[in-house]
Amino acid sequence: MFLKSSFVLSVIAAASYTCQAQSQLVASQIMASAINMDGIEANFMFAPLANNGGAQVWIEVKSGLSKKFAISPTGGFEYHIHVNPVGPNNDCMATGGHLDPTNVGAAKCLAAKPDKCQEGDLSGKHGELKATESGAIPPQSYNDKYIKFSGETTTIAGRSVVIHNNGTRVACGNIYPFKQSSSPSTSTNSASSAPGGEVQSQHSGASGGQVVVTMAMAVAGTVFGALMAL
Ligand SMILES: [Cu+2]
């Protein structure tokens, strides 16, 4: 990571104000998904908001989702949280359907009425990943009130993120607990456990730490509070 040292300095510089700004995040329970298959690389992070207030979501697409690849005329890619983890050999079909604990079903999700959407229909609630000719998709962050971190049927833990191209599943990655020890940006902490745990064993290999560092560089100023509180 060529920007790592400047990133660490930024964390220190930003520390005084981000503690206050991000105090509502329950950073110890951050979940992450690092997709890396078929040339598509994308990172997702889900940080719980206090009082079961949903999640702050960070998304960074690093490669693979160019407008040339998109079948959709808008160049957009849908993405969702699916109920099951990724199958062997990156089998995205094994992820099953969308996370939908309230049985909304296939009803059209309107961004203006996110309470009527499936919990896992992230692009329905927040818009598709909009590709450009070059494939550069701006990093984004938003809050989603409906994402849950507990409950057998509602939690996003142990599930997966799937990216679609006009319906077809083109890439997927498991959602696993982010562990601070894997983060090179928190090198003052001892590395006590492997990142990800069992869920990540089917995963492409990127560590939670890499997710956070790249995410933090992409969404500078947002993730610092999460890192501090870990
Ligand atoms: Cu999907």
Side-chain angles (χ1 to χ4, degrees):
M1 277 303 159
F2 64 96
L3 285 175
K4 190 171 80 174
S5 57
S6 63
F7 165 71
V8 173
L9 290 174
S10 299
V11 170
I12 295 168
S16 57
Y17 72 85
T18 51
C19 277
Q20 193 177 14
Q22 298 297 330
S23 59
Q24 79 274 27
L25 287 178
V26 186
S28 61
Q29 297 168 31
I30 289 179
M31 309 294 292
S33 180
I35 291 176
N36 187 353
M37 60 177 284
D38 296 339
I40 298 171
E41 253 190 287
N43 296 323
F44 297 80
M45 280 185 67
F46 306 91
L49 296 166
N51 304 316
N52 294 318
Q56 181 164 4
V57 182
W58 297 293
I59 302 169
E60 176 198 30
V61 177
K62 296 175 74 177
S63 66
L65 297 184
S66 73
K67 202 168 184 176
K68 292 166 187 162
F69 173 56
I71 296 172
S72 153
T74 63
F77 295 87
E78 300 169 290
Y79 65 104
H80 318 109
I81 297 169
H82 284 226
V83 283
N84 299 322
V86 177
N89 303 313
N90 283 336
D91 180 8
C92 295
M93 293 309 292
T95 63
H98 298 172
L99 178 60
D100 184 19
T102 55
N103 294 315
V104 171
K108 179 73 177 167
C109 171
L110 300 174
K113 295 184 175 178
D115 57 317
K116 301 286 194 295
C117 296
Q118 298 167 324
E119 178 183 348
D121 191 356
L122 300 181
S123 55
K125 290 183 278 187
H126 306 283
E128 296 177 347
L129 300 171
K130 285 295 173 76
T132 60
E133 296 294 335
S134 68
I137 297 177
Q140 54 184 288
S141 177
Y142 54 76
N143 286 0
D144 185 309
K145 285 197 295 185
Y146 307 96
I147 289 176
K148 304 262 191 306
F149 293 80
S150 61
E152 192 178 343
T153 61
T154 54
T155 184
I156 65 168
R159 307 195 190 276
S160 57
V161 176
V162 178
I163 299 174
H164 300 250
N165 185 1
N166 212 19
T168 301
R169 305 178 185 200
V170 295
C172 51
N174 289 328
I175 298 174
Y176 58 90
F178 169 74
K179 298 280 174 58
Q180 72 179 100
S181 57
S182 63
S183 172
S185 65
T186 54
S187 55
T188 51
N189 297 311
S190 61
S192 56
S193 60
E198 288 185 4
V199 176
Q200 204 197 4
S201 63
Q202 295 179 332
H203 186 267
S204 57
S207 75
Q210 287 172 323
V211 173
V212 162
V213 170
T214 53
M215 193 75 62
M217 290 191 298
V219 196
T222 311
V223 80
F224 297 142
L227 284 171
M228 286 172 51
L230 284 170

